[in-house]
Amino acid sequence: MKKLLCLIFFSLSALVYAFGSGTLDDHSKISRLSSFMLMGEIDLRTENDVSAPVKYKTLNHEGGMKITVLEIGDRCEHDGKQGLWLWVLLTSPMWVDSGDWIEKYQKFLIFLPDEMPVFGFEE
């Protein structure tokens, strides 16, 4: 029983460290080639143009969306939220709301609202 409790404690500690480490709420620290993971529903545009139609929408699941920033766009208000536009490279495959499987190394334009935290942040 004691070994089981120790194993559970260390497993939970590792999870807290993995997701707590590198969590960023201040998006002003994001720069070109920053890498991180986003959780939640995010509109994906395949063209680097804010007026381009949304091609996909991410699912809010535990895997998140792992990306590397290629370009930092304008800071503005979009859909009633303040944030910033990012041209990103997907670094891990994922499912989207249409049921499509999106392979890694595709580029997307996303809007990152100020209130959305990023996880696993690396400069």
Side-chain angles (χ1 to χ4, degrees), residues 35-60:
S35 295
F36 49 87
M37 180 178 64
L38 296 173
M39 305 292 281
E41 295 180 359
I42 301 161
D43 291 339
L44 305 174
R45 292 168 170 80
T46 54
E47 298 173 45
N48 193 355
D49 178 358
V50 298
S51 63
V54 173
K55 177 79 174 183
Y56 305 106
K57 182 178 278 232
T58 64
L59 297 172
N60 187 13

Side-chain angles (χ1 to χ4, degrees), residues 21-24 29-37 67-69 118-123:
S21 171
T23 300
L24 180 71
K29 296 180 180 178
I30 294 173
S31 63
R32 187 177 174 281
L33 301 181
S34 293
S35 295
F36 49 87
M37 180 178 64
I67 58 172
T68 296
V69 176
V118 300
F119 301 95
F121 179 74
E122 296 178 16
E123 292 187 65

Side-chain angles (χ1 to χ4, degrees), residues 7 14 24 27 31-32 44 52 54 70 72 76 78 80 89 113 119-120:
L7 180 63
L24 180 71
H27 297 164
S31 63
R32 187 177 174 281
L44 305 174
V54 173
L70 300 174
I72 297 176
C76 65
H78 177 68
L89 179 69
F119 301 95

Side-chain angles (χ1 to χ4, degrees), residues 60-106:
N60 187 13
H61 59 80
E62 68 282 349
M65 178 178 159
K66 296 173 182 86
I67 58 172
T68 296
V69 176
L70 300 174
E71 293 177 27
I72 297 176
D74 293 333
R75 169 166 282 294
C76 65
E77 182 176 323
H78 177 68
D79 289 339
K81 297 178 181 178
Q82 290 292 322
L84 107 125
W85 288 98
L86 300 173
W87 182 241
V88 301
L89 179 69
L90 186 65
T91 57
S92 181
M94 66 179 181
W95 293 101
V96 291
D97 68 341
S98 63
D100 292 329
W101 177 251
I102 306 299
E103 291 292 339
K104 61 183 176 179
Y105 305 128
Q106 293 191 47

